Amino acid sequence: MSASSDDNNRNSRTPAPVAPRLRELATLPVFYKLHGKRVVIVGGNAAAAWKVELLAATGAQVDVIAKDFVQRIETQAIEAQNVNTLRRDWMPGDFVEAVLVVAETENEEEATALQQAAKAAGAHLNVIDKPLWSSFQFGAIVERSPLVVAISTDGGAPVFGQAIRARIETLLPDGLRRWASAAKTWRSKVSTLKLDLHSRRTVWERFARLALNEPTRTPGEHDFEAITRDIDRNDKSLAKTGSVLLVGAGPGDPELLTLRAVRALQGADVVLFDDLVSQEVLDLARREAEKISVGKRGFKPSCTQEDICALMIELAQHGKDIVRLKGGDPMVFGRANEEIVALQNAGISVAVVPGVTAASAAAASLNLSLTERTLARRLQFVTAHARGGAVPDDLDWKALADPHAATVVYMGVRTLAQYCARVMAEGLPGDTPAILVERVSHPDQRQIAGTVATLPALVAAGDIKGPALTIIGQMLRERG
Ligand code: SAH
C-alpha cells in the first residue's frame, strides 16, 4: 500500500487504523551469539586485524589464515586464547565447521573461489568492502555491551554509517551498559514474581525510564525494588510523580546544546518552552512529547510565572517527566529560582541542565575574549530591562562605568540610549567600544558596532526585532 492510499484511508470513515506495512528492508539486522563458534579470517592486513579484534571479542574461536600478519594480529594471537594464526594460503577445507568466513582480497577470482568454498562448508561469507561478494555484512556498532546498537547502510557508505554511529554514541551514555547488565540479572527475578503480561510490561517500562533518566548511575537493589514495588496493585494508583528538568536551550543554534540537554529532550513526556527557544532545538524533542509554548505568544495571552509553575506541578503530579526549556542558560536572567522553589514546595523533583548563555555565544561568534587581560579585569552581566519604560535606577552605576570592566547588557535594546547616557555621566569614556549583537547563533545574526556615545543612534536606525544584547568594554579593541 502506498503512503497516499494510507492517507486516504485515514480521511475516510474506516474505523480501524491501518497498520503501515514495513517498507522493503535491505538487510535484516540480527544479533548472533558467536561464543565458542568457529570463524575463519582470510587475510593478515590492518582491515583483517580489526575484524579479528571484533570477532575475538564475541568469544568466537578465530582462525586467521594469511602469508603475512600485521603486528596487531600477531599480538592478538599471543594475548587472546581464542585467536590462532596459520601462516599459509587458505584451502577450501579450511571452512569446515566454521559459521562465518571473513576474507580480505582484491582479486575477483579468489573472491569467487571463497564464495564456493564457504557455501560448500555451509558458512556465511563477508569479503571486506565487497558487498556484492558477501552473504552478510558488518554494521557500525555502538558498543554498550550487553547493549549493542548496529547500523547498516547496506554496504552503500560505511563512512556515513560511522557518522550516524557518532550521533548515536552521544545519545547513549556509557553507563547504560550497567543498566543493560542489571536487566539481564533482574530478568529471572522478575519472572519469579509471576506477574501477568501487563504488569511485567509496566516493570520494564519503569526500568527503561529509570535507566534513561539516570544513565550514569549504577543501578542497585533499591532500583529493583522501585520498579517492582506494588506492581500487582496496578500502576494507575501508584503512578509515579513526574520530574522537572530546567534545561538551557542555548541562544538558538541546536549545535550549542549540551549532550545532557539533548538526552533530556529525547526522554521528555512534555516540553514547555519560552519564546526565545528556537524551532531547531524543539525539533530534537521526542516526537511523541507534548510541546507547550509558555512564552508571551503561547499557552495563554498572559502566561504568568505562576501559571507556568502551576502547569508544571499539575503535569508532574500526573506522572509526566517535563523538560522546561529556557533560552540560553536557565540560571542567567531566567527566573529559574521561582520555578525551582515552587516545584520543591510541591514535592516535585527538579534539576537544572546548564546551557550556553547568549553572552558566551555572542563572544564566541565575534572571536572576542570577554576577559582580555589588563583591558577587562571584571566581567559583569546586567539586565537593563525597563520597568515603566525607564532603565532601572538601582543598578550599580559606578561598577557599570568602570573602564576596566567588560559588561554585557541583557534585555537592553529599548533602554540603550538611557543606559549609555547614564554610564557616560558616571564616568565611562564616550569612546569606549560597544557592540550590539542580535539573534546570536541564528543564521541571520547581526551586529552593530560603535562606541558608547554612538551606538544608541546606530541601533535606533537598525530596526532591531530579535533578542539582542550589548557588549561594552575596551577589550573589544583586541577582537581576534
Ligand atoms: N537565560 C538567557 C537570558 C534570558 S533574558 C541566557 O542565558 O541567554 C533574555 C535576554 O537574553 C534577551 O533580551 C537578550 O538580551 C538575551 N538573549 C537571549 N537569546 C539571545 C540571542 N539569541 N541573541 C542575542 N541576545 C539574546
Side-chain angles (χ1 to χ4, degrees), residues 251 276 327-329 332-333 357-358 410-411 437 439-440 442 467-469:
L276 280 180
D329 181 274
V332 177
F333 303 131
T357 190
Y410 283 71
M411 292 179 268
V437 196
R439 288 181 59 76
V440 170
H442 289 267
L469 48 72

Side-chain angles (χ1 to χ4, degrees), residues 409-413 436-440 464-470:
V409 186
Y410 283 71
M411 292 179 268
V413 179
L436 177 130
V437 196
E438 183 195 13
R439 288 181 59 76
V440 170
I464 303 297
K465 293 219 172 60
L469 48 72
T470 306

Side-chain angles (χ1 to χ4, degrees), residues 263-330:
R263 280 188 206 126
L265 282 167
Q266 309 245 313
D269 296 318
V270 185
V271 179
L272 304 188
F273 61 97
D274 287 336
D275 290 337
L276 280 180
V277 173
S278 70
Q279 186 59 44
E280 291 83 351
V281 168
L282 277 176
D283 287 344
L284 291 171
R286 195 158 69 93
R287 206 147 31 113
E288 303 77 21
E290 189 184 349
K291 296 162 196 101
I292 305 175
S293 163
V294 292
K296 292 185 192 70
R297 281 172 269 146
F299 188 49
K300 287 182 182 177
S302 60
C303 197
T304 64
Q305 199 60 41
E306 290 74 40
D307 293 334
I308 298 172
C309 292
L311 179 62
M312 285 196 288
I313 291 168
E314 193 193 326
L315 288 165
Q317 282 168 343
H318 282 88
K320 305 286 187 202
D321 286 326
I322 300 155
V323 162
R324 166 80 172 102
L325 265 183
K326 286 174 171 286
D329 181 274

Side-chain angles (χ1 to χ4, degrees), residues 244 313 336-351:
V244 177
I313 291 168
N337 223 36
E338 294 167 46
E339 296 181 16
I340 293 170
V341 169
L343 290 161
Q344 283 174 338
N345 286 344
I348 287 155
S349 119
V350 53

